[in-house]
């Protein structure tokens, strides 16, 4: 049974008529009462356009019948366009393709073929359901997919390369772990024996005489040192390393990544695969998303701004410690930037790419082969951008290129954050070095750029009629393309984090919990609460707009005025950054109270280290689960919560595996190699180590906190 789609027919001008092969198969099909009865029972039985009119644009049909009961071929109606869900299924002969079902004369062929049926009543029923589904398809402007789709595996060129790399990492992990255990046993055994100098080779003695002790020791233990980076026991211990002064950031990261997962599960479950069988229970105007609790799902977008704030804050903190002004005190901040930025960027790329590249490879080469089914064809749309534009991911410009497309239509689409964070990091050291040269000037420059980003967002939100309310149709679609992942819009929270880092640089924890600090904490939480839940006042009060509709013109989406929509779209991220900034300031200064204690719990430390991998991998888990379904699933809050727990656990388990096999070993190799290079390099020595050595530490500490 081959898979087929009517998408190609929809792009042609010449009408496609039902093929002779399909027409003949239909004639034989109606002569078999067994096949006809099973096909009629297994197919959907929608009531028609009248039902659709009562719930436009969230139409999910009356279910997909019993797909597994069909002994012929299952074809799905709908789900081929961005605004549509799969709403029906039919059981048809294998000889009929999706092109045949989309043909304007297909229903007529069924009627003519049914005249020879031995069961006229059942034949009439079968013809009727096809007629109603065809009417719905025409109204919704969607198409057909037929058969069971399986993504073909291409071994060359990248499939084989990915498998080799993955097997190499796994082999090194096993070898490194076993070698370390064996080495401990050997050392213990040797300590029990008396040294026997008779077995010392002349070659070993020659090496000792001709090389410095440190260099000889380095050459002798090089292999062991490299392999030890893949020792699972050592790497697990690294996951529990924490810095007490910023331990509260662990809790912020973990809370943010769970919040992001929650939002992605909501978005993917409701729009991919078969979608929900009862979308009115989830969507406006009467579903969960109109309630107070539902606003938590949409507000998950602000968790990304929390990560950006943390990144900006830590880049100041780390650079000021690792590349202090005393390295080249006579150089201006511009010259110091030009000297340092090439190696900083190189180290950051090397630090991020192993995990990023292997996760991207898992998305392209492994995940699409973990299942099959009637909805599995949707992997085509997910993989197509990677075949054409995967190079944009490796160059960290996938949030900009290709131009004019929504983020969901880019390769590994959620990785736009890495591109954005990398672009902001390019300019961050310039501001840090300026601050080191002139603290007041650096703060003013950072604050001015933050204000410029806010003003630019205000201008664009007003002139381009942006909305960030998810169901506002064309307004949110325009923002998604023009502003959602763009650095000039997102920079404001990153720069706010940098500004706080500059303000707190060199300060000690000298605040006590007083009524003033408690008022400040209450104010910060109130700001976050307001930004999160203010949308309950009407942002999701009407049915969802499709992507060509405007709320004020088509009686859909938000009931807010244009002014309310503008101010929320333009200022919500700045307000969110302000609230996070106050919380971080109080926690660092020792006045964070119970919130600081909760965010600093040791429980969050290992999860925080795994948050980068969990961010990269969790959409893969969601899509594999969602597209592997064979039916629509009803939305229930309890089921949704259980899905969230299971997907979160699997995502963090995968992140742990990738961290132990790829991320942490590669980070160790990076430190080892650059640490060895510094022994003979012409670096500027300071009390805390060479400049190159300290730059590699920056990548280790900062590169993994992006997400």
């Amino acid at each position: 049974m081959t898979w087929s789609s009517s998408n190609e027919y929809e792009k042609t001008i010449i009408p496609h008529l039902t093929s002779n092969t399909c027409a003949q198969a239909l004639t034989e099909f109606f002569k078999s009462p067994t096949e006809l009865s099973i096909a009629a029972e297994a197919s959907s039985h929608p009531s028609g356009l009248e039902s659709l009119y009562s719930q436009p644009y969230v139409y999910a049909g009356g279910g997909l019948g019993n797909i597994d009961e069909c002994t012929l071929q299952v074809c799905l109606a709908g789900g081929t366009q961005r605004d549509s869900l799969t709403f029906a299924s039919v059981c048809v002969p294998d000889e009929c393709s999706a092109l045949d079902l989309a043909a304007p004369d297909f229903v007529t062929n069924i009627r003519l073929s049914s005249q020879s049926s031995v069961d006229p009543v059942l034949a009439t029923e079968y013809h009727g359901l096809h007629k109603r589904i065809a009417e719905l398809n025409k109204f919704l402007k969607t198409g057909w997919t037929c058969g069971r789709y399986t993504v073909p595996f291409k071994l060359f060129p990248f499939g084989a390369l990915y498998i080799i790399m993955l097997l190499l990492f796994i082999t090194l992990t096993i070898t490194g772990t076993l070698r370390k255990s064996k080495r401990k046993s050997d050392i213990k055994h040797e300590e029990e024996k008396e040294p026997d100098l008779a077995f010392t080779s002349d070659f070993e003695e020659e090496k000792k005489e001709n090389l410095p002790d440190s260099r000889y020791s380095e050459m002798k233990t090089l292999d062991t040192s490299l392999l030890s980076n893949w020792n699972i026991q050592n790497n697990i211990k690294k996951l529990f390393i924490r810095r007490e002064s910023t331990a509260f950031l662990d809790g912020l990261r973990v809370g943010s990544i769970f919040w992001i997962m929650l939002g992605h599960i909501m978005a993917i479950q409701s729009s991919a695969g078969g979608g929900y069988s009862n979308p009115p229970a989830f969507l406006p105007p009467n579903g969960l998303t109109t309630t107070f609790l539902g606003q938590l799902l949409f507000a998950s977008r602000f968790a990304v701004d929390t990560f950006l704030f943390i990144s900006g804050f830590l880049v100041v903190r780390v650079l000021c410690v690792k590349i202090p002004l005393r390295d080249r005190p006579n150089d201006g901040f511009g010259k110091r930037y030009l000297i340092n930025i090439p190696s900083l960027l190189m180290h950051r790329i090397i630090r991020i790419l192993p995990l990023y590249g292997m996760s991207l490879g898992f998305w392209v080469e492994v995940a699409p082969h973990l299942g099959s089914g009637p909805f599995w064809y949707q992997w085509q749309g997910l993989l197509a951008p990677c075949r054409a534009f995967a190079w944009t991911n490796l160059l960290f410009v996938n949030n900009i290129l290709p131009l004019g497309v929504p983020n969901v239509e880019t390769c590994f689409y959620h990785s736009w954050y890495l591109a954005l964070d990398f672009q902001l990091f390019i300019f961050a050291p310039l501001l840090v070095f300026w601050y080191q040269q002139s603290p007041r000037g650096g703060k003013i420059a950072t604050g001015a750029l933050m204000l410029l980003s806010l003003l630019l967002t205000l201008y664009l939100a007003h002139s381009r009629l942006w909305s960030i309310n998810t169901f506002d149709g064309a307004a949110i679609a325009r923002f998604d393309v023009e502003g959602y992942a763009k650095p000039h819009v997102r920079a404001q929270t990153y720069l706010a984090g940098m500004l706080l880092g500059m303000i707190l640089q060199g300060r000690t924890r000298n605040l006590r919990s007083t009524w003033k600090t408690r008022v400040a904490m209450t104010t910060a939480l109130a700001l976050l609460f307001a930004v999160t839940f203010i949308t309950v006042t009407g942002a999701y009060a009407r049915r969802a707009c499709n992507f060509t509709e405007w709320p004020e013109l088509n009686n859909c989406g938000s009931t807010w005025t244009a002014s309310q929509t503008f101010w929320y779209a333009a200022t919500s991220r700045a307000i969110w950054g302000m609230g996070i900034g106050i919380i971080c300031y109080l926690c660092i200064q020792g006045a964070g109270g119970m919130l600081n204690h909760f965010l600093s719990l040791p429980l969050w430390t290992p999860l925080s280290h795994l948050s980068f991998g969990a961010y990269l991998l969790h959409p893969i888990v969601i899509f594999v689960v969602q597209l592997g379904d064979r039916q629509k699933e009803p939305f229930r809050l309890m089921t949704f919560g259980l899905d969230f727990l299971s997907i979160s656990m699997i995502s963090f388990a995968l992140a742990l595996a990738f961290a132990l096999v790829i991320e942490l070993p590669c980070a160790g190799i990076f430190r080892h190699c650059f640490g060895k290079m510094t022994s003979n390099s012409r670096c500027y020595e300071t009390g805390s180590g060479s400049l190159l050595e300290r730059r590699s530490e920056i990548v280790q500490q900062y590169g993994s906190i992006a997400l």
Side-chain angles (χ1 to χ4, degrees):
M1 184 187 304
T2 59
W3 181 84
S4 60
S5 170
S6 64
N7 280 352
E8 293 302 318
Y9 163 67
E10 294 162 5
K11 299 175 184 177
T12 62
I13 300 176
I14 302 175
H16 176 87
L17 300 179
T18 306
S19 66
N20 292 331
T21 304
C22 177
Q24 293 172 3
L26 287 172
T27 301
E28 296 299 320
F29 163 75
F30 279 102
K31 293 179 180 179
S32 172
T34 302
E35 289 187 351
L36 176 59
S37 61
I38 291 176
E41 186 173 280
S43 300
S44 300
H45 291 72
S47 59
L49 288 174
E50 193 63 34
S51 175
L52 183 145
Y53 291 148
S54 68
Q55 46 178 334
Y57 305 113
V58 294
Y59 183 69
L64 300 184
N66 191 341
I67 290 177
D68 293 324
E69 185 182 7
C70 177
T71 57
L72 302 174
Q73 175 182 226
V74 173
C75 292
L76 302 179
T80 59
Q81 305 294 334
R82 188 179 181 188
D83 284 322
S84 74
L85 294 172
T86 300
F87 63 86
S89 73
V90 292
C91 186
V92 297
D94 295 344
E95 291 82 359
C96 295
S97 69
L99 292 176
D100 292 319
L101 271 72
D105 66 335
F106 181 74
V107 176
T108 302
N109 272 282
I110 288 183
R111 180 178 59 81
L112 295 175
S113 300
S114 66
Q115 294 175 358
S116 61
S117 175
V118 296
D119 190 340
V121 176
L122 197 57
T124 301
E125 179 185 341
Y126 188 76
H127 167 254
L129 69 88
H130 271 279
K131 182 179 179 180
R132 293 191 296 272
I133 293 173
E135 291 173 349
L136 293 168
N137 237 341
K138 183 177 180 180
F139 179 85
L140 295 172
K141 299 179 181 179
T142 59
W144 290 91
T145 57
C146 292
R148 181 172 177 168
Y149 184 79
T150 302
V151 178
F153 180 72
K154 296 181 179 179
L155 188 61
F156 298 102
F158 300 111
L161 178 62
Y162 185 81
I163 292 174
I164 292 172
M165 291 294 296
L166 193 59
L167 291 176
L168 176 62
F169 280 123
I170 294 173
T171 302
L172 288 171
T173 302
I174 296 173
T175 305
T177 303
L178 295 178
R179 184 185 182 94
K180 186 63 177 289
S181 300
K182 183 177 183 302
R183 182 172 175 79
K184 286 182 178 179
S185 177
D186 291 344
I187 291 174
K188 183 178 180 180
H189 180 68
E190 288 297 327
E191 288 175 347
E192 297 173 354
K193 295 172 58 179
E194 290 293 328
D196 189 352
L197 299 180
F199 291 96
T200 303
S201 68
D202 294 337
F203 178 66
E204 293 287 336
E205 294 298 329
E206 183 180 355
K207 286 197 296 184
K208 290 181 181 180
E209 294 174 0
N210 296 333
L211 290 173
D213 291 341
S214 60
R215 186 61 176 161
Y216 169 73
S217 176
E218 172 189 323
M219 292 180 63
K220 186 176 180 180
T221 62
L222 178 61
D223 183 57
T224 302
S225 299
L226 289 175
L227 281 176
S228 67
N229 290 296
W230 272 275
N231 181 266
I232 291 179
Q233 295 176 350
N234 291 345
N235 287 329
I236 288 177
K237 293 177 182 178
K238 294 177 183 177
L239 295 176
F240 292 88
I241 297 175
R242 59 189 255 135
R243 292 176 176 81
E244 292 298 332
S245 60
T246 56
F248 73 96
L249 294 180
D250 293 338
L252 277 180
R253 291 193 196 100
V254 174
S256 296
I257 191 60
F258 277 126
W259 202 5
I260 289 172
M261 288 182 183
L262 190 71
H264 283 168
I265 293 171
M266 176 269 295
I268 295 172
Q269 282 191 347
S270 62
S271 62
Y276 292 131
S277 62
N278 57 339
F282 176 74
L283 298 174
N286 301 310
L288 174 77
T289 50
T290 63
T291 66
F292 197 81
L293 180 63
Q295 308 316 301
L296 280 173
L297 301 175
F298 298 118
S300 62
R301 64 174 72 94
F302 295 113
V304 177
D305 293 282
T306 301
F307 277 120
L308 286 171
F309 187 96
I310 294 173
S311 294
F313 171 76
L314 287 180
V315 73
V316 174
R317 193 176 184 90
V318 174
L319 284 175
C320 284
V321 172
K322 300 303 179 182
I323 308 182
L325 182 62
R326 65 177 180 269
D327 283 338
R328 299 181 70 98
N330 297 324
D331 292 340
F333 65 88
K335 187 175 181 180
R336 291 182 70 222
Y337 174 80
L338 294 176
I339 291 173
N340 288 280
I341 194 61
S343 58
L344 285 174
L345 293 180
M346 180 189 69
H347 296 162
R348 183 163 174 78
I349 291 171
I350 294 174
R351 176 65 179 84
I352 292 175
L353 271 185
L355 180 59
Y356 183 24
M358 293 300 289
S359 300
L360 177 58
F362 195 84
W363 168 269
V364 175
E365 302 295 345
V366 177
H369 309 290
L370 297 179
S372 62
F375 305 117
W376 205 253
Y377 73 91
Q378 294 180 25
W379 272 107
Q380 284 185 322
L382 298 173
L383 297 179
C386 292
R387 297 189 183 102
F389 296 103
W391 59 270
T392 62
N393 295 69
L394 300 180
L395 294 180
F396 297 98
V397 293
N398 52 297
N399 62 327
I400 299 175
L401 299 175
L403 297 172
V405 301
N407 283 308
V408 294
E409 296 180 14
T410 59
C411 175
F412 207 35
Y413 67 89
H414 61 289
S415 64
W416 64 266
Y417 177 87
L418 292 182
L420 173 66
D421 188 78
F422 184 84
Q423 291 156 14
L424 295 173
F425 178 77
I426 292 175
F427 299 100
L430 180 63
L431 293 172
V432 175
F433 295 151
W434 191 344
Y435 165 76
Q436 290 177 327
Q437 199 85 29
S438 171
R440 186 170 181 270
K443 293 176 186 176
I444 292 175
T446 304
L449 288 175
M450 182 178 66
L451 180 61
L452 179 62
S453 174
L454 176 59
L455 293 175
L456 186 58
T457 304
L458 285 165
Y459 170 75
L460 291 173
H462 183 268
S463 62
R464 299 296 296 162
L465 304 177
W466 285 352
S467 172
I468 63 172
N469 299 325
T470 303
F471 296 139
D472 278 358
I476 182 68
R478 182 176 288 182
F479 171 72
D480 184 40
V481 172
E482 300 174 352
Y484 182 75
K486 301 302 185 285
H488 55 276
V489 174
R490 291 285 191 167
Q492 50 193 283
T493 47
Y494 187 91
L495 291 166
M498 291 189 65
L499 186 59
L500 178 66
M502 294 175 182
I503 292 172
L504 291 176
Q505 188 61 33
R507 292 193 183 185
T508 57
R509 298 166 66 96
N510 55 6
L511 281 183
R512 294 182 178 179
S513 181
T514 64
W515 70 269
K516 292 182 179 180
T517 60
R518 289 192 289 272
V519 168
M521 180 64 76
T522 303
T523 301
L525 295 176
L527 290 174
L528 302 185
F529 185 89
V531 170
T532 300
F533 294 106
I534 196 173
T535 49
V536 79
T537 60
Y540 301 100
R542 296 183 291 194
R543 68 164 179 88
C545 300
N546 68 34
F547 290 103
T548 60
E549 293 181 317
W550 294 86
E552 61 273 18
L553 299 177
N554 301 102
N555 193 32
C556 61
S558 172
T559 59
W560 281 359
T561 65
S563 177
Q564 289 173 310
T565 301
F566 157 71
W567 283 111
Y568 187 67
T571 64
S572 56
R573 284 186 169 81
I575 296 172
W576 185 267
M578 187 184 305
I580 294 295
I582 295 173
I583 291 173
C584 290
Y585 177 84
L586 294 174
C587 289
I588 290 176
Q589 290 295 93
M594 293 181 62
L595 181 61
N596 182 32
H597 176 73
F598 176 75
L599 294 176
S600 301
L601 289 176
L603 168 68
W604 310 128
T605 300
L607 296 178
S608 175
H609 284 295
L610 296 174
S611 61
F612 180 33
Y615 177 81
L616 290 173
L617 295 167
H618 79 273
I620 302 177
V621 178
I622 301 173
F623 275 113
V624 168
V625 172
Q626 182 68 11
L627 299 187
D629 280 344
R630 298 185 59 80
Q631 284 286 348
K632 288 175 172 289
E633 297 292 338
F635 173 78
R636 292 192 307 138
L637 193 58
M638 178 66 73
T639 304
F640 183 81
L642 292 175
D643 288 342
F644 167 70
L645 290 176
S646 60
I647 288 171
S648 298
M649 291 177 63
I650 295 172
S651 299
F652 270 97
L654 273 177
L656 175 62
F658 273 64
L660 297 178
V661 176
I662 300 168
E663 183 183 13
L664 293 175
C666 288
I669 292 293
F670 177 79
R671 289 196 309 272
H672 178 92
C673 292
F674 281 95
K676 298 304 180 184
M677 288 173 59
T678 58
S679 61
N680 292 323
S681 61
R682 297 180 180 179
C683 294
Y684 296 93
E685 298 293 336
T686 68
S688 58
S690 70
L691 182 59
L692 185 58
E693 199 170 31
R694 284 182 280 111
R695 286 175 186 159
S696 67
E697 291 182 53
I698 293 170
V699 180
Q700 168 63 11
Q701 294 183 37
Y702 174 64
S704 61
I705 61 89
L707 273 175

